[in-house]
Amino acid sequence: MKVKGKVFRYLDNVDTDVIIPARYLNTSDPKELASHCMEDIDADFIKNVKEGDIIVAQKNFGCGSSREHAPLAIKSAGISCVIAASFARIFYRNSINIGLPILECEEAVKGIKSGDIVSVDFESGKITNETTKESYYAQPFPPFIQKMIEAEGLVNYMAQEIQK
Amino acid sequence: MSMTMSQKILASCAKVEKVEAGQLIMADLDLVLGNDITAPVAIKEFAKFGVKDVFDNKKVALVPDHFTPNKDIKAAQQCKILREFAHEKEIENYFEIGQMGIEHALLPEQGLVNAGDLIIGADSHTCTYGALGAFSTGVGSTDMAAAMASGKGWFKVPSALKFNLTGKLSKWVSGKDVILHIIGMIGVDGALYKSMEFCGEGVKNLSIDDRFTICNMAIEAGAKNGIFGVDEITLEYLKEHHKGTPKIFEADSDAVYEKVYEIDLSKIRPTVAYPHLPENTKTIDEVEKIEIDQVVIGSCTNGRISDLRVAAKILKNKKVNPKVRTIIFPATQKIYLQALKEGLLEIFVEAGAVVSTPTCGPCLGGHMGILADKERAVATTNRNFVGRMGHPGSEVYLASPAVAAASALTGYITNPETV
């Protein structure tokens, strides 16, 4: 599976409260959640984001709350992949569970700027900055995680596996 | 052997002799928790498993505490999903308004947490129960759904940081100051993916409430869990609240820790975390004159009876600064009633504070104390992210109940030693 998109770049410690503020958590509708994604630190995000775009951030992305609404909002906003130097633990788990691909790669984070076009190959873990023509390698997902992402999350994946 | 406390609990629940850091295991769960924000998503996912019932209707706890009493129609709809599921699946530990409380204060109080238990909760502050020697950690809604269906969870065995505590806290210094001091020292990702294990002879000088507060905020350092060893104080608490026999796990003498921190409790000063991260700490001696608009005393971090007693001691026979909206949230109905019996609520009302029914409301910017643009609050809660308590232009300063109460009197962040 490969994705390609324009980069929205953020700094350290982007927390779940700014990804989706609690005032909107009285719903779990992904589209409604997406319409408020990142608004407290980047009011233009939702206006500018297009299907397939990529978030790149520094360390500890997704720190804070266990709300699965955070990766849901990002995914529903059209983001195809999040690349960060490191992820907070619960966010990492939640993202895989709902089928949002996320990659840890400090080198890529250093070499990518906002607005760059980046492509990612999940099979090999290769991240290419199409704007600068530089490539980086993240630890690729093992096959079952790749399948989980393709199935749009853990529950669908488990259901498929059970039916086999 | 060579295992930490956390690793021993995981090994026991995975029914294996030994685990080591980095190992992936599947383990049996003693309790699965969800609230009115996270459980509705989990319930939707649970339906896809096609199983009729939850794995054990005694081992699932559902607590509507975040947007309750319901703040609007949408919140009411979310809570209805929770209520109907609880009734349909005959979940014993569903706590309706009137019997409820803030989940992490409520579960230990209701005797649902035992030493040695393995607990996951779809709430990041589930790590609170480590205070009682349990391994507890926050997860998301999908993990909660899978756990409700199977009674099992998968874990990557964490490595650990050891905090060797010595000495005794000074007057007006509490567990909140200890954990803010530690987060200030190691940073918001200082314990990322790891266990924080608290030990040393200073532990005996920390009350169970102090330990709850310390473990509650382990997640603010990125930790997977925080945990204290079981001692006489733990056993006394468990005897009063839990019917079962405690399962006591001690770290091996040769257990491996990534790092050991020596903390002298007697040297810790009242500590305040500045916006917008819990790691931005200063001691009360370094804090400038910061004027505030609101004080919030409560939450799963500091809404326990000992917290209310400290606040009452400072507010007794005094008036809060008229420009400071002072809001006090007992964490559970039981704590509320105890505060009533002890006359604490009277002290608060006479001082000009508002006393609320238990809810997580203001802590996460949900309801009951939302800040407007450029307003500042001192809160005993656990997070001070951008927009955490309302408008993204507002600011939250985290502090102990003593600092919060003293600040309510003066109108600016204040050392409790001076009021």
Side-chain angles (χ1 to χ4, degrees):
Chain A
M1 197 178 146
K2 288 176 188 166
V3 297
K4 186 174 169 182
K6 193 177 77 169
V7 166
F8 290 79
R9 199 181 184 290
Y10 300 101
L11 304 174
D12 289 338
N13 305 314
V14 173
D15 62 73
T16 48
D17 284 65
V18 298
I19 295 171
I20 182 70
R23 56 187 178 274
Y24 304 120
L25 295 184
N26 53 3
T27 177
S28 45
D29 176 41
K31 283 211 173 64
E32 212 176 321
L33 293 171
S35 70
H36 299 291
C37 189
M38 309 300 273
E39 73 175 30
D40 281 0
I41 55 162
D42 183 358
D44 295 330
F45 173 80
I46 205 65
K47 274 185 263 170
N48 297 334
V49 69
K50 291 196 175 62
E51 193 68 34
D53 284 350
I54 290 170
I55 286 178
V56 176
Q58 291 174 186
K59 66 172 187 169
N60 204 24
F61 188 88
C63 63
S65 163
S66 68
R67 62 188 71 156
E68 211 162 280
H69 312 65
L72 271 175
I74 289 174
K75 192 179 171 199
S76 184
I79 290 291
S80 65
C81 177
V82 184
I83 302 166
S86 64
F87 289 92
R89 188 188 65 83
I90 306 175
F91 182 89
Y92 190 93
R93 202 171 162 124
N94 285 348
S95 298
I96 302 285
N97 279 344
I98 66 151
L100 171 70
I102 61 176
L103 292 173
E104 277 187 348
C105 185
E106 213 173 329
E107 289 306 306
V109 171
K110 281 184 194 152
I112 296 172
K113 290 195 301 293
S114 224
D116 285 353
I117 303 297
V118 163
S119 62
V120 183
D121 180 344
F122 297 125
E123 228 160 282
S124 61
K126 187 178 178 186
I127 299 166
T128 308
N129 187 339
E130 304 285 355
T131 308
T132 62
K133 303 289 172 209
E134 279 174 14
S135 292
Y136 314 92
Y137 286 88
Q139 180 94 26
F141 291 121
F144 81 95
I145 299 273
Q146 285 186 48
K147 278 188 200 152
M148 207 186 287
I149 287 166
E150 280 165 27
E152 305 269 308
L154 171 73
V155 175
N156 293 332
Y157 170 72
M158 295 300 266
Q160 282 174 17
E161 290 295 300
I162 290 164
Q163 279 164 17
K164 271 182 195 170
Chain B
M1 287 289 284
S2 186
M3 283 191 283
T4 66
M5 268 185 275
S6 303
Q7 290 166 356
K8 280 200 176 169
I9 297 172
L10 290 174
S12 161
C13 295
K15 297 188 175 67
V16 294
E17 279 285 306
K18 184 171 168 22
V19 296
E20 45 191 62
Q23 188 180 341
L24 292 169
I25 56 157
M26 189 67 91
D28 291 332
L29 302 167
D30 293 291
L31 192 67
V32 180
L33 164 72
N35 59 47
D36 52 315
I37 288 181
T38 57
V41 180
I43 289 165
K44 199 163 87 186
E45 294 300 309
F46 177 86
K48 296 182 191 165
F49 282 104
V51 295
K52 192 171 158 281
D53 291 314
V54 297
F55 79 106
D56 185 336
N57 68 347
K58 293 180 184 63
K59 292 185 176 177
V60 174
L62 296 175
V63 189
D65 56 0
H66 277 60
F67 287 151
T68 54
N70 305 146
K71 73 155 182 162
D72 55 20
I73 294 170
K74 282 182 177 176
Q77 292 296 124
Q78 296 291 97
C79 287
K80 195 177 172 197
I81 296 171
L82 199 67
R83 182 177 301 118
E84 288 178 351
F85 182 80
H87 290 163
E88 187 191 312
K89 307 297 179 200
E90 296 177 348
I91 286 168
E92 284 196 4
N93 299 305
Y94 168 68
F95 298 92
E96 188 56 271
I97 306 295
Q99 305 132 40
M100 54 74 80
I102 299 172
E103 54 203 30
H104 307 306
L106 184 71
L107 265 47
E109 178 190 284
Q110 293 290 324
L112 295 176
V113 178
N114 197 4
D117 276 357
L118 177 57
I119 299 173
I120 65 166
D123 188 279
S124 59
H125 294 104
T126 304
C127 49
T128 308
Y129 320 131
L132 298 177
F135 184 106
S136 60
T137 190
V139 296
S141 298
T142 300
D143 278 322
M144 182 194 170
M148 284 198 297
S150 68
K152 290 176 187 295
W154 69 266
F155 300 87
K156 189 172 181 183
V157 177
S159 61
L161 302 176
K162 182 173 175 173
F163 295 85
N164 192 32
L165 311 180
T166 55
K168 200 175 171 183
L169 296 172
S170 312
K171 196 180 178 192
W172 302 124
V173 182
S174 66
K176 183 57 159 281
D177 303 295
V178 176
I179 192 64
L180 287 176
H181 170 81
I182 289 173
I183 297 166
M185 184 171 72
I186 70 173
V188 291
D189 64 347
L192 198 58
Y193 309 127
K194 303 182 212 317
S195 300
M196 293 170 83
E197 301 209 343
F198 301 97
C199 47
E201 53 94 9
V203 168
K204 68 174 190 297
N205 300 321
L206 293 173
S207 69
I208 279 291
D209 285 1
D210 282 327
R211 299 179 200 185
F212 278 130
T213 305
I214 291 170
C215 287
N216 176 274
M217 289 189 69
I219 179 70
E220 308 319 329
K224 185 163 192 161
N225 70 314
I227 192 167
F228 279 83
V230 175
D231 65 4
E232 286 306 316
I233 297 170
T234 329
L235 292 174
E236 204 180 310
Y237 182 93
L238 287 170
K239 201 172 157 190
E240 203 182 311
H241 294 90
H242 197 279
K243 290 193 188 85
T245 312
K247 296 159 281 180
I248 302 171
F249 294 92
E250 283 174 13
D252 291 315
S253 56
D254 59 347
V256 177
Y257 295 91
E258 281 198 18
K259 209 163 178 180
V260 179
Y261 295 91
E262 300 291 337
I263 311 252
D264 182 350
L265 298 175
S266 69
K267 295 216 171 109
I268 292 178
R269 298 284 296 147
T271 301
V272 177
Y274 277 44
H276 291 285
L277 280 177
E279 70 181 19
N280 296 336
T281 57
K282 288 189 186 189
T283 68
I284 198 75
D285 315 296
E286 300 164 325
V287 170
E288 312 86 349
K289 188 171 179 181
I290 292 168
E291 296 197 359
I292 53 165
D293 305 284
Q294 181 167 297
V295 161
V296 172
I297 298 174
S299 85
C300 60
T301 319
N302 281 112
R304 296 183 175 82
I305 192 70
S306 56
D307 299 314
L308 302 187
R309 283 178 189 145
V310 168
K313 210 167 179 178
I314 291 171
L315 296 175
K316 192 172 184 178
N317 298 325
K318 296 199 175 92
K319 294 277 180 204
V320 301
N321 186 302
K323 77 172 204 52
V324 181
R325 308 178 305 259
T326 305
I327 315 174
I328 298 175
F329 294 80
T332 67
Q333 286 286 83
K334 199 173 167 187
I335 294 167
Y336 195 109
L337 192 58
Q338 181 69 23
L340 179 74
K341 285 178 182 165
E342 291 183 18
L344 309 184
L345 302 188
E346 199 176 334
I347 292 171
F348 298 145
V349 173
E350 284 188 342
V354 165
V355 182
S356 161
T357 189
T359 174
C360 305
C363 173
L364 79 161
H367 62 151
M368 305 284 282
I370 301 297
L371 297 175
D373 190 16
K374 297 191 174 59
E375 285 192 325
R376 289 196 191 115
V378 172
T380 69
T381 55
N382 41 45
R383 287 192 178 129
N384 55 353
F385 299 151
V386 171
R388 174 69 178 179
M389 210 169 257
H391 195 284
S394 64
E395 293 183 345
V396 179
Y397 292 76
L398 304 176
S400 70
V403 170
S407 306
L409 292 176
T410 60
Y412 55 90
I413 300 178
T414 298
N415 184 345
E417 293 159 356
T418 64
V419 296

